[in-house]
Amino acid sequence: MTIPFYDHTVLYRELKPELDAAVARALEGGRLDWGPELPAFEAEFARWLGVAHAVGTNSGTAALKVALLALGIGRGDEVITVPNSDIGSTAAIHHAGATAVWVDVEPDTGNIDPIQADAAVTPRTAAILPVDLYGHPADLPALRAVAGRHGLAIVEDACLALGAAIGDRRVGQWADVTCFSFAPSKHLGGYGSGGAAVTADAALARRMERFAGYGQDRARHYREGLAAPPLEHRCEGLNERLDELQAAMLRVKLPHLRGIVDGYVERAAAYSEALAGTPVRPPAVRPDNVHTFRNYVVHLEERDAVRRRLAHDGIATGLHYAPPLHRQPVYRETAAAKRPFPVADRLGTTLLSLPIGAHLGDDDCRQVAHALAAAAS
Ligand SMILES: *Cc1c(COP(=O)(O)O)cnc(C)c1O
């Protein structure tokens, strides 16, 4: 038995005729720069989420960076976030010119602790950047109260949480900007790199488009006629756009997204059911939250030994995200890393991420759970 961590080819084979046709359409259409696929995808993605505006970017990291730049956050500003995430959450803040201020997380969800976020606010704080770890929403109602009290923006890293919700309000509808990733292994996985930033604010969406597209107004490129107007750079933009081929393929996958997300949730339920009555505790889900389980993560005292035993049984596992950022070579000598993060540290030494995705049958989930329970007892 070999169970890989994830396998994009299962869905590719299911959707191959449509995906191949979409690639051919984009290539034969002759407009790979400022073509029709990107704005079409953005409109469809925004509709799926129930938000007003989506801006396609070439990664989740780029979406975070473009969001911060468009909010005017940069040198001299502080942004409060967590150390137990993808490096993109913190790197985007620093590449925008601002300073990341890490705070510790809640032990059950691993998400930012709103009380500690509140305590970390200074006169320089411009925003809070919560991460919806593994697909479980951060405590957005509490964070909005903190942000409202101090006049801060919320830029949400929902790269793992497409389809998640709190109550009847989807992730995407809570923050000033919510950022998603279309990396191949995410819920809406592209075939390369991609991301999006969504917002209810039309002017902010236009600024994000500019920062992602050379500082130019998008509309300039969509005018009819052979004589394009002169170049006009309205801000110091980058080239961080979602490309036409990714947009074309993501448009094929989007109508299947509900089913894809449900597939993760069903496999998580199969894991949790199979783990009931074993020493391994299934992940917590807060009441009223929809957790979409991009990762199914358990916590084990003897994590490394269990991991080796599972590898011996042919079962791949992951470590998202360990060691946490304050223990990484790039940050560990900085002043920020000297502060204590006892919860993030403890989660980092115990977490184990199980394989999940369309390549796992119910039997596979049961086998993995049984192997895990055996290895952990
Ligand atoms: C995947 C991910 C990112 C980065 O997304 P990319 O598309 O790889 O740049 C950022 N934050 C979190 C929490 C992620 O899971």
Short mmCIF file of all heavy atoms in Angstrom, two decimals, residues 281-305:
data_model
loop_
_atom_site.label_atom_id
_atom_site.label_comp_id
_atom_site.label_asym_id
_atom_site.label_seq_id
_atom_site.Cartn_x
_atom_site.Cartn_y
_atom_site.Cartn_z
N ARG A 281 -6.82 12.20 19.00
CA ARG A 281 -7.98 13.11 19.02
C ARG A 281 -8.17 13.77 17.67
O ARG A 281 -7.24 14.38 17.14
CB ARG A 281 -7.77 14.18 20.08
CG ARG A 281 -8.38 13.85 21.41
CD ARG A 281 -9.15 15.02 22.06
NE ARG A 281 -8.57 16.35 21.82
CZ ARG A 281 -7.72 16.96 22.65
NH1 ARG A 281 -7.34 16.38 23.76
NH2 ARG A 281 -7.28 18.16 22.37
N PRO A 282 -9.38 13.69 17.10
CA PRO A 282 -9.64 14.40 15.85
C PRO A 282 -9.54 15.92 16.05
O PRO A 282 -9.65 16.40 17.17
CB PRO A 282 -11.09 14.02 15.51
CG PRO A 282 -11.40 12.82 16.35
CD PRO A 282 -10.53 12.92 17.57
N PRO A 283 -9.32 16.67 14.96
CA PRO A 283 -9.22 18.13 15.07
C PRO A 283 -10.50 18.76 15.60
O PRO A 283 -11.60 18.25 15.35
CB PRO A 283 -8.96 18.60 13.65
CG PRO A 283 -8.69 17.41 12.83
CD PRO A 283 -9.18 16.21 13.58
N ALA A 284 -10.36 19.86 16.33
CA ALA A 284 -11.53 20.57 16.88
C ALA A 284 -12.20 21.39 15.79
O ALA A 284 -11.54 21.92 14.89
CB ALA A 284 -11.06 21.50 17.99
N VAL A 285 -13.53 21.45 15.85
CA VAL A 285 -14.27 22.40 15.01
C VAL A 285 -15.18 23.19 15.94
O VAL A 285 -15.95 22.62 16.71
CB VAL A 285 -15.13 21.68 13.95
CG1 VAL A 285 -15.82 22.72 13.06
CG2 VAL A 285 -14.30 20.73 13.10
N ARG A 286 -15.04 24.52 15.90
CA ARG A 286 -15.86 25.36 16.77
C ARG A 286 -17.31 25.36 16.31
O ARG A 286 -17.57 25.31 15.10
CB ARG A 286 -15.33 26.79 16.74
CG ARG A 286 -13.93 26.89 17.31
CD ARG A 286 -13.90 27.90 18.42
NE ARG A 286 -12.59 27.92 19.02
CZ ARG A 286 -11.89 29.04 19.22
NH1 ARG A 286 -12.39 30.21 18.85
NH2 ARG A 286 -10.73 28.99 19.80
N PRO A 287 -18.25 25.48 17.26
CA PRO A 287 -19.66 25.56 16.89
C PRO A 287 -19.87 26.69 15.89
O PRO A 287 -19.20 27.73 15.98
CB PRO A 287 -20.37 25.88 18.21
CG PRO A 287 -19.41 25.54 19.29
CD PRO A 287 -18.03 25.60 18.70
N ASP A 288 -20.75 26.46 14.94
CA ASP A 288 -21.12 27.50 13.98
C ASP A 288 -20.06 27.75 12.90
O ASP A 288 -20.22 28.64 12.07
CB ASP A 288 -21.42 28.81 14.71
CG ASP A 288 -22.67 29.47 14.15
OD1 ASP A 288 -23.50 28.73 13.59
OD2 ASP A 288 -22.79 30.70 14.25
N ASN A 289 -18.95 26.97 12.94
CA ASN A 289 -17.91 27.15 11.92
C ASN A 289 -17.95 26.01 10.91
O ASN A 289 -18.15 24.85 11.27
CB ASN A 289 -16.52 27.15 12.58
CG ASN A 289 -16.16 28.49 13.17
OD1 ASN A 289 -15.28 29.19 12.70
ND2 ASN A 289 -16.87 28.87 14.24
N VAL A 290 -17.75 26.34 9.64
CA VAL A 290 -17.55 25.33 8.61
C VAL A 290 -16.06 25.24 8.33
O VAL A 290 -15.45 26.19 7.83
CB VAL A 290 -18.32 25.69 7.31
CG1 VAL A 290 -18.04 24.65 6.23
CG2 VAL A 290 -19.81 25.79 7.59
N HIS A 291 -15.47 24.11 8.69
CA HIS A 291 -14.05 23.81 8.50
C HIS A 291 -13.96 22.98 7.22
O HIS A 291 -14.65 21.98 7.09
CB HIS A 291 -13.57 23.02 9.72
CG HIS A 291 -12.12 22.66 9.77
ND1 HIS A 291 -11.28 22.66 8.68
CD2 HIS A 291 -11.34 22.28 10.83
CE1 HIS A 291 -10.06 22.30 9.06
NE2 HIS A 291 -10.07 22.07 10.36
N THR A 292 -13.09 23.42 6.30
CA THR A 292 -13.06 22.72 5.00
C THR A 292 -11.86 21.78 4.83
O THR A 292 -11.66 21.23 3.75
CB THR A 292 -13.10 23.73 3.83
OG1 THR A 292 -12.16 24.75 4.09
CG2 THR A 292 -14.48 24.32 3.70
N PHE A 293 -11.06 21.63 5.88
CA PHE A 293 -10.07 20.56 5.95
C PHE A 293 -9.16 20.44 4.75
O PHE A 293 -8.96 19.35 4.23
CB PHE A 293 -10.78 19.21 6.20
CG PHE A 293 -11.35 19.09 7.59
CD1 PHE A 293 -12.70 19.30 7.82
CD2 PHE A 293 -10.52 18.82 8.66
CE1 PHE A 293 -13.22 19.22 9.10
CE2 PHE A 293 -11.04 18.73 9.95
CZ PHE A 293 -12.39 18.93 10.17
N ARG A 294 -8.58 21.54 4.33
CA ARG A 294 -7.50 21.40 3.33
C ARG A 294 -6.38 20.54 3.93
O ARG A 294 -5.68 19.82 3.24
CB ARG A 294 -7.01 22.78 2.91
CG ARG A 294 -5.62 22.87 2.36
CD ARG A 294 -5.35 21.94 1.19
NE ARG A 294 -4.06 22.23 0.58
CZ ARG A 294 -2.89 22.08 1.17
NH1 ARG A 294 -2.81 21.65 2.40
NH2 ARG A 294 -1.79 22.37 0.52
N ASN A 295 -6.24 20.60 5.26
CA ASN A 295 -5.36 19.65 5.95
C ASN A 295 -6.11 19.03 7.11
O ASN A 295 -6.86 19.72 7.81
CB ASN A 295 -4.11 20.35 6.50
CG ASN A 295 -3.24 20.90 5.40
OD1 ASN A 295 -3.21 22.11 5.19
ND2 ASN A 295 -2.57 20.04 4.68
N TYR A 296 -5.92 17.73 7.27
CA TYR A 296 -6.46 17.04 8.44
C TYR A 296 -5.27 16.81 9.36
O TYR A 296 -4.37 16.02 9.06
CB TYR A 296 -7.11 15.72 8.04
CG TYR A 296 -7.87 15.08 9.17
CD1 TYR A 296 -9.24 15.30 9.34
CD2 TYR A 296 -7.22 14.26 10.10
CE1 TYR A 296 -9.93 14.72 10.39
CE2 TYR A 296 -7.91 13.68 11.16
CZ TYR A 296 -9.26 13.92 11.30
OH TYR A 296 -9.95 13.35 12.34
N VAL A 297 -5.27 17.54 10.48
CA VAL A 297 -4.07 17.59 11.33
C VAL A 297 -4.39 17.09 12.73
O VAL A 297 -5.34 17.56 13.37
CB VAL A 297 -3.51 19.03 11.38
CG1 VAL A 297 -2.34 19.13 12.36
CG2 VAL A 297 -3.05 19.45 9.99
N VAL A 298 -3.60 16.12 13.19
CA VAL A 298 -3.74 15.61 14.55
C VAL A 298 -2.48 15.97 15.33
O VAL A 298 -1.47 16.37 14.74
CB VAL A 298 -3.96 14.08 14.55
CG1 VAL A 298 -5.29 13.75 13.90
CG2 VAL A 298 -2.81 13.35 13.87
N HIS A 299 -2.56 15.83 16.64
CA HIS A 299 -1.41 16.18 17.50
C HIS A 299 -1.00 14.98 18.33
O HIS A 299 -1.84 14.33 18.95
CB HIS A 299 -1.78 17.38 18.39
CG HIS A 299 -1.93 18.62 17.56
ND1 HIS A 299 -0.89 19.43 17.25
CD2 HIS A 299 -3.01 19.12 16.92
CE1 HIS A 299 -1.30 20.41 16.46
NE2 HIS A 299 -2.60 20.25 16.25
N LEU A 300 0.29 14.68 18.30
CA LEU A 300 0.82 13.46 18.91
C LEU A 300 2.09 13.77 19.66
O LEU A 300 2.98 14.46 19.14
CB LEU A 300 1.15 12.44 17.80
CG LEU A 300 0.01 12.10 16.84
CD1 LEU A 300 0.57 11.52 15.56
CD2 LEU A 300 -0.96 11.14 17.50
N GLU A 301 2.21 13.22 20.89
CA GLU A 301 3.43 13.43 21.68
C GLU A 301 4.66 12.88 20.95
O GLU A 301 5.70 13.51 20.90
CB GLU A 301 3.30 12.76 23.05
CG GLU A 301 2.25 13.39 23.97
CD GLU A 301 2.51 14.88 24.22
OE1 GLU A 301 3.69 15.28 24.27
OE2 GLU A 301 1.52 15.63 24.34
N GLU A 302 4.51 11.66 20.41
CA GLU A 302 5.66 11.00 19.76
C GLU A 302 5.55 11.17 18.25
O GLU A 302 5.65 10.21 17.49
CB GLU A 302 5.67 9.50 20.12
CG GLU A 302 5.69 9.21 21.61
CD GLU A 302 7.02 9.62 22.24
OE1 GLU A 302 8.05 9.58 21.54
OE2 GLU A 302 7.01 9.98 23.43
N ARG A 303 5.32 12.41 17.82
CA ARG A 303 5.02 12.67 16.41
C ARG A 303 6.06 12.08 15.45
O ARG A 303 5.70 11.42 14.48
CB ARG A 303 4.89 14.18 16.21
CG ARG A 303 4.38 14.61 14.86
CD ARG A 303 5.44 14.96 13.85
NE ARG A 303 6.50 15.82 14.27
CZ ARG A 303 6.42 17.15 14.39
NH1 ARG A 303 5.30 17.77 14.13
NH2 ARG A 303 7.48 17.84 14.76
N ASP A 304 7.33 12.31 15.71
CA ASP A 304 8.34 11.92 14.72
C ASP A 304 8.43 10.40 14.58
O ASP A 304 8.60 9.88 13.47
CB ASP A 304 9.69 12.55 15.05
CG ASP A 304 9.62 14.08 14.94
OD1 ASP A 304 8.79 14.56 14.13
OD2 ASP A 304 10.37 14.77 15.65
N ALA A 305 8.28 9.70 15.70
CA ALA A 305 8.32 8.24 15.65
C ALA A 305 7.11 7.70 14.90
O ALA A 305 7.21 6.79 14.07
CB ALA A 305 8.37 7.67 17.08
#
